[in-house]
Amino acid sequence: MQPETAKRFHIALLPGDGIGPEVIAEAVKVLRAVEARLDCIRFEFEEFSVGAGEYLRSGDPLPEATFERLRESGAILLGAMGLPEVRWPSGTEMAPQVKLRERLDLYCGVRPVYLYHSDHGPLKGYRAGEIDFVIVRESTEGLFFSRRQGYAPDAPEVRDTLRISRAGAERLFRAAFQMAASRRGLLTLIDKANVLPSMAYFRRIFDEVAVEFPAVRTERLYVDAAALYLVQNPRRFDVIVTENMFGDILSDLAAGLVGGMGMAPSADMGDRHAVFQPAHGSAPDLAGQGIANPTATILSAAMMLDWLPGAAAGAGLIRAAVQRFFATSEERTRDLGGRLKTAELGDRIGELLTSSDAVFLSLIH
Ligand code: ATP
């Protein structure tokens, strides 16, 4: 195909704060390598300032004019937002990424958990690929529903509300069942239905939606037991679906099983829009040193290509290059015990992606 007939994708880049700009630069490098490899895909990147830095500049971490532009983008690739020292008067951190989820109605938080090398995780005896599951986290309600309510510092008590709506739960479960149907066919609901009425309601709706997907096996676990099983036997999981706060906590635990936050990609998806970002935050302890692991962001870019119609070949190339790198190289970034710099890892993955030997091609799926 000639470049003139290539598919063009407009990607909004939100590098954000802390290590965000450093890891986004490597994802862009790898996406440029995808372009070099595939004549049929072209990217137009447009960068926007959003986050704690933008708040310090303009007083608004997500200016309205920027939000309108983001709404028109083909897809949004985000680095990390927030800095511990930049806070709202209530004491909470700037989290425009959470606001984006709410305003773009990105109800489905998808967090793939995949072990790329046996040495990466703390568990013994797991080879590459033997931990391979996806957490689907509800992302617009749950316990996060209360986050904007504020509180009076002299109040005798403060309550947070865990909201579960029928419409919100049904659409989440349908997305999770579809994902399980396209993988190994097992969907695990994680809740606290034995204690909280909202969670009993959540489970009831899960059971109703399950009837629509007879080919998918289901199981139901309480969140405390699920935390135990995730550590004892992560192999048993395929797709997990859960409430917003439980998903927030368990996805960090799951990232720990496969090498930490630098190895944990994510996507927040709705019916029309999606934001792709590493599951980690701005990691101020690493910022400015060029030592963050960009793999999570590079894999988030691959998820973006899976989602954009007509770009899935690029996603396969990126994942194959990441797989090949960890299988064949002993170089690692600092979080995985090595000395490789952020930019060097981006270079290595970009170079592998543009190589075309048979072993590499066999990894593409
Ligand atoms: P948030 O609440 O914004 O998600 P957090 O407080 O959970 O952020 P992170 O910024 O995700 O914190 O960092 C958690 C830990 O993981 C820190 O020790 C940080 O250095 C490490 N970390 C995060 N991202 C990376 C990365 N890309 N590479 C290496 N280490 C990372």
Side-chain angles (χ1 to χ4, degrees):
M1 190 187 286
Q2 294 303 307
E4 304 84 67
T5 56
K7 263 191 117 131
R8 294 186 175 276
F9 299 99
H10 179 260
I11 312 292
L13 296 177
L14 310 186
D17 305 308
I19 61 170
E22 300 169 41
V23 291
I24 284 289
E26 300 318 303
V28 169
K29 190 185 282 176
V30 169
L31 288 167
R32 289 293 183 212
V34 168
E35 275 184 326
R37 181 68 192 265
L38 298 174
D39 282 348
C40 57
I41 295 181
R42 289 291 170 268
F43 301 111
E44 288 159 17
F45 296 112
E46 191 176 2
E47 199 171 307
F48 297 92
S49 172
V50 173
E54 180 57 28
Y55 172 78
L56 293 176
R57 261 188 299 279
S58 71
D60 186 349
L62 177 58
E64 194 55 30
T66 302
F67 177 74
E68 286 307 325
R69 298 292 306 280
L70 295 177
R71 213 203 316 244
E72 291 158 14
S73 306
I76 301 168
L77 186 61
L78 188 153
M81 306 266 156
L83 291 172
E85 68 277 14
V86 183
R87 290 176 183 266
W88 294 111
S90 66
T92 56
E93 271 186 43
M94 310 280 139
Q97 71 278 24
V98 181
K99 196 166 170 188
L100 264 180
R101 275 176 216 157
E102 291 165 356
R103 291 195 64 188
L104 294 176
D105 205 17
L106 310 179
Y107 57 89
C108 202
V110 180
R111 276 113 190 268
V113 180
Y114 188 89
L115 184 69
Y116 277 93
H117 194 281
S118 53
D119 291 345
H120 289 181
L123 302 180
K124 295 188 184 69
Y126 284 85
R127 287 182 308 217
E130 287 187 341
I131 299 177
D132 176 11
F133 62 90
V134 180
I135 297 180
V136 177
R137 163 190 177 187
E138 202 293 320
S139 299
T140 53
E141 47 185 27
L143 195 52
F144 276 51
F145 176 71
S146 282
R147 77 179 183 93
R148 274 167 304 175
Q149 70 185 6
Y151 68 96
D154 55 352
E157 64 174 56
V158 176
R159 297 180 185 201
D160 292 324
T161 303
L162 196 167
R163 175 179 192 247
I164 298 293
S165 69
R166 171 168 281 280
E170 280 181 357
R171 65 183 183 174
L172 173 81
F173 291 144
R174 289 203 177 97
F177 271 102
Q178 278 159 11
M179 191 175 297
S182 71
R183 289 175 47 98
R184 301 193 297 278
L186 173 64
L187 181 61
T188 304
L189 171 71
I190 294 181
D191 62 29
K192 194 69 184 169
N194 51 338
V195 174
L196 299 174
S198 60
M199 293 282 89
Y201 180 61
F202 198 51
R203 186 176 285 208
R204 177 187 286 262
I205 298 168
F206 179 83
D207 291 341
E208 287 172 21
V209 174
V211 176
E212 298 168 24
F213 298 88
V216 175
R217 287 165 293 124
T218 57
E219 63 173 354
R220 294 143 190 81
L221 295 177
Y222 300 135
V223 63
D224 41 350
L228 176 74
Y229 299 149
L230 275 167
V231 174
Q232 279 186 335
N233 185 15
R235 233 185 304 238
R236 64 177 276 162
F237 294 105
D238 180 14
V239 179
I240 287 169
V241 64
T242 190
E243 181 272 334
N244 203 341
M245 180 66 111
F246 294 162
D248 186 40
I249 297 167
L250 292 180
S251 50
D252 273 28
L253 184 155
L257 300 177
V258 295
M261 301 309 293
M263 297 301 291
S266 86
D268 290 308
M269 297 182 179
D271 293 329
R272 298 181 51 197
H273 301 279
V275 174
F276 300 86
Q277 65 177 114
H280 59 74
S282 59
D285 53 327
L286 307 180
Q289 301 174 59
I291 56 172
N293 182 350
T295 307
T297 315
I298 291 168
L299 291 171
S300 302
M303 294 175 78
M304 178 177 79
L305 300 191
D306 273 332
W307 182 78
L308 285 168
L317 279 173
I318 294 177
R319 275 192 280 266
V322 170
Q323 195 173 335
R324 183 103 193 258
F325 174 77
F326 287 116
T328 58
S329 171
E330 290 186 355
E331 293 183 304
R332 296 290 183 267
T333 44
R334 202 177 71 169
D335 52 324
L336 297 175
R339 304 164 71 122
L340 202 62
K341 295 284 204 171
T342 311
E344 290 170 334
L345 181 45
D347 289 343
R348 302 287 191 279
I349 292 175
E351 283 155 16
L352 280 169
L353 203 151
T354 43
S355 76
S356 55
D357 65 79
V359 179
F360 178 69
L361 293 175
S362 73
L363 293 170
I364 300 172
H365 51 269

